[in-house]
Amino acid sequence: MKHLLFLISISLGLSQSPLQGYIKQAIENNLELKQKTFKYEQATQRLRKAKGMFLPHVDLNARYTRSGGGRTIDLPLGSMLNPLYSQHGLGTPFEDQHIRFLREKEHETKLTLTQHIFNLKIYNNYKLNASLEEVALKEKDAFKHELIKEVTHAYLAVVKLEKVTRVYETNLHLLQENKRVTESLFKNGKVTQDAVYLAEVDLLSIKKQLNSVQNQLTLAKKYVNHLRNVELSSAVETDDLPPLIETIKPLEELKEQALHSRNELKQLTHAIISAEYGKKIAAGSFFPNVLLSGTYGFQGEEYRFDSEHDYWMLSGVVQWNLFKGFQDRAETEEKELEIMIYESMYNDVLGKIKLEVERAYTTLKTVREDLNISEVGIKNASLAFHIVQKKYNEGLASYIEYLNALTKKQNQELAHEINKINYRIQRAELEYATGESYAN
């Protein structure tokens, strides 16, 4: 993750910015990302469960039974044999027998081992869960990358609004001074009263704008803290932005990079693979299942674990589903439709990503042009201000002219700073769209 943050910060010119810490904190604390992580861990445990089906199953079963009543078998041995024996003087050694079907008491303790020898469903279920684990992983990574983009945008929005706030505060002081000077000029008969009214309107307008920007700044800081999962009132530190890094790759290269790097496409690729194995599971019902089963245990009326009371069994079992009311065929066709759905989703996301890259690239170029225009605007506004300032110092220009020139210069400087931040925001958008700095 440290390498990831380093690449992001360098690409945006923010290598020493608090942004790195905020991104790291968001990745560690964001609740929605934790939910994605838990889902991935669930998928990992399901894969372990599927892997365990390859191993033998061993069960220990113990039973102790007491019984009474039930059916009996009557053997009239005494009635049949005793008359013969008594004729020969041998007495009556036999009694009629009443044999119960159920023992009065009985126990059975046994170990049973079952091992699948051939079962396509077990193999395909393992492969399906392996693909679903990758789906969950790519879903988590995709959200993490989106979270990084959101934190970056939110942080830069705070920086921008802080700059706007400072300029509006400066303009507020200037307009307060403008009102004071205008009122003085009116008292001295230098201007008419409408100039005083207009000065008051300008002052009220800047106050309203300042209040609006301050509210936006407060909300922007709270959003950063929300992404970090800290108290909304926590401080958000910012610093001055270093020079921009302006290298941009060609559009076609960026599109190609996006197709290889975006986790959304990787997620859908593994979803298609999982659906294919789901289809194979359904088709596996047409093949036989072969397993071995062995049992070793003890039986008797008393708990005796010796060679006179033990027993064992070894079985080979073949199970073959010959007919199931066409359910298996319907399930196979259902999985085939699921594959088609995922393939359609993949093509849709593919087209959207290409459009997203092109839109981000075009917007970045436009912002770069705006930045060039604002650089010219600063130069011209500065030259105009220096001329008016010189005239004002020589008494050839009024204070209002001086104030207007200063305000235009400051507004051009503000526009330029905003354009620079917008450039960084749009560059982060392009990097997100292409998967740059996010590729695994």
Side-chain angles (χ1 to χ4, degrees):
M1 188 180 71
K2 292 180 178 179
H3 178 63
L4 172 66
L5 298 183
F6 175 76
L7 288 173
I8 296 170
S9 301
I10 289 297
S11 65
L12 298 177
L14 300 170
S15 57
Q16 303 299 323
S17 169
L19 176 62
Q20 287 189 76
Y22 294 153
I23 291 176
K24 182 178 179 181
Q25 198 172 19
I27 291 174
E28 292 174 350
N29 300 336
N30 185 268
L31 295 178
E32 194 168 351
L33 181 58
K34 285 184 178 181
Q35 295 170 26
K36 303 293 184 184
T37 303
F38 294 149
K39 287 183 179 179
Y40 168 65
E41 292 172 356
Q42 277 186 321
T44 300
Q45 295 307 316
R46 284 194 290 268
L47 178 60
R48 288 184 60 191
K49 179 181 176 181
K51 188 183 297 184
M53 297 180 71
F54 289 105
L55 301 176
H57 297 181
V58 180
D59 298 308
L60 171 64
N61 297 289
R63 175 179 61 84
Y64 180 78
T65 305
R66 296 297 297 265
S67 63
R71 291 179 297 171
T72 61
I73 297 177
D74 296 327
L75 295 177
L77 297 179
S79 300
M80 294 172 59
L81 299 177
N82 284 338
L84 296 175
Y85 273 78
S86 60
Q87 289 178 5
H88 294 83
L90 298 177
T92 57
F94 299 100
E95 295 181 358
D96 290 341
Q97 300 294 315
H98 302 281
I99 302 174
R100 298 173 55 191
F101 268 88
L102 300 176
R103 288 180 176 179
E104 183 179 353
K105 56 182 179 179
E106 182 183 48
H107 92 92
E108 181 181 38
T109 304
K110 62 182 179 180
L111 282 173
T112 301
L113 182 146
T114 304
Q115 174 65 61
H116 289 277
I117 304 301
F118 179 81
N119 191 322
L120 287 178
K121 285 187 175 182
I122 292 178
Y123 171 78
N124 290 320
N125 181 64
Y126 168 75
K127 299 298 287 185
L128 180 146
N129 280 279
S131 298
L132 290 178
E133 183 190 38
E134 286 296 322
V135 170
L137 175 62
K138 298 309 175 185
E139 181 182 3
K140 177 177 76 73
D141 288 343
F143 180 80
K144 180 173 70 175
H145 302 154
E146 185 176 357
L147 177 63
I148 291 171
K149 181 196 74 170
E150 286 296 317
V151 174
T152 303
H153 283 198
Y155 173 82
L156 292 174
V158 170
V159 174
K160 179 168 66 174
L161 289 168
E162 284 181 341
K163 289 182 178 293
V164 174
T165 299
R166 286 195 292 269
V167 170
Y168 280 169
E169 288 173 345
T170 301
N171 288 346
L172 177 63
H173 294 309
L174 292 174
L175 290 173
Q176 287 172 338
E177 179 64 16
N178 177 52
K179 181 185 175 186
R180 186 190 66 79
V181 172
T182 303
E183 289 174 343
S184 176
L185 292 173
F186 173 70
K187 290 178 181 178
N188 293 317
K190 300 293 185 181
V191 296
T192 57
Q193 194 170 12
D194 62 305
V196 177
Y197 293 148
L198 291 175
E200 178 68 23
V201 169
D202 290 340
L203 182 59
L204 292 174
S205 176
I206 198 67
K207 285 182 178 179
K208 179 180 177 182
Q209 293 176 23
L210 178 59
N211 287 335
S212 176
V213 170
Q214 287 174 337
N215 289 334
Q216 292 178 44
L217 177 59
T218 300
L219 293 175
K221 289 182 177 180
K222 288 183 177 182
Y223 184 55
V224 172
N225 291 330
H226 167 71
L227 294 173
R228 296 161 59 200
N229 192 28
V230 298
E231 287 294 331
L232 296 181
S233 58
S234 300
V236 176
E237 297 180 359
T238 60
D239 59 1
D240 292 332
L241 300 177
L244 298 173
I245 299 176
E246 302 184 16
T247 55
I248 304 175
K249 296 178 182 178
L251 177 58
E252 292 306 316
E253 183 178 343
L254 292 172
K255 287 183 179 180
E256 190 67 24
Q257 180 179 329
L259 300 186
H260 287 89
S261 302
R262 287 290 291 266
N263 283 296
E264 293 87 344
L265 293 176
K266 295 178 182 179
Q267 179 183 350
L268 285 170
T269 298
H270 288 290
I272 293 171
I273 294 173
S274 68
E276 289 173 345
Y277 280 111
K279 178 183 175 181
K280 290 180 180 179
I281 290 175
S285 300
F286 299 109
F287 293 87
N289 299 326
V290 181
L291 59 88
L292 290 177
S293 177
T295 301
Y296 178 75
F298 299 88
Q299 290 181 337
E301 295 185 352
E302 304 291 340
Y303 273 102
R304 294 178 182 176
F305 301 98
D306 52 35
S307 59
E308 294 184 0
H309 294 83
D310 68 341
Y311 74 97
W312 64 271
M313 290 188 296
L314 183 63
S315 304
V317 181
V318 177
Q319 183 184 20
W320 200 335
N321 171 30
L322 297 179
F323 182 72
K324 199 177 177 182
F326 303 109
Q327 295 179 43
D328 297 321
R329 184 174 300 278
E331 186 176 357
T332 302
E333 293 178 358
E334 177 189 351
K335 294 300 179 181
E336 179 64 33
L337 292 171
E338 184 177 343
I339 293 172
M340 294 170 66
I341 290 172
Y342 281 130
E343 287 176 344
S344 177
M345 291 172 62
Y346 181 91
N347 293 328
D348 181 48
V349 172
L350 183 67
K352 287 179 179 178
I353 286 177
K354 289 180 179 179
L355 179 60
E356 189 177 342
V357 172
E358 188 158 348
R359 182 170 56 243
Y361 178 84
T362 304
T363 305
L364 183 61
K365 288 287 189 180
T366 302
V367 173
R368 175 67 263 188
E369 293 174 1
D370 292 342
L371 197 57
N372 294 335
I373 292 171
S374 64
E375 287 175 354
V376 176
I378 285 179
K379 181 179 178 181
N380 292 334
S382 297
L383 291 174
F385 171 72
H386 289 309
I387 293 172
V388 173
Q389 185 181 38
K390 183 177 180 180
K391 291 168 65 177
Y392 176 74
N393 292 335
E394 294 175 354
L396 301 176
S398 67
Y399 178 76
I400 294 177
E401 291 177 307
Y402 169 80
L403 193 61
N404 287 336
L406 178 59
T407 301
K408 288 181 180 180
K409 174 178 173 293
Q410 291 175 334
N411 287 340
Q412 284 295 326
E413 290 173 347
L414 172 63
H416 186 61
E417 290 299 322
I418 290 175
N419 284 335
K420 287 197 291 186
I421 297 173
N422 288 340
Y423 180 84
R424 285 183 168 88
I425 291 174
Q426 196 55 44
R427 188 175 184 90
E429 187 69 33
L430 179 61
E431 290 178 354
Y432 170 78
T434 59
E436 184 178 350
S437 302
Y438 302 109
N440 292 330

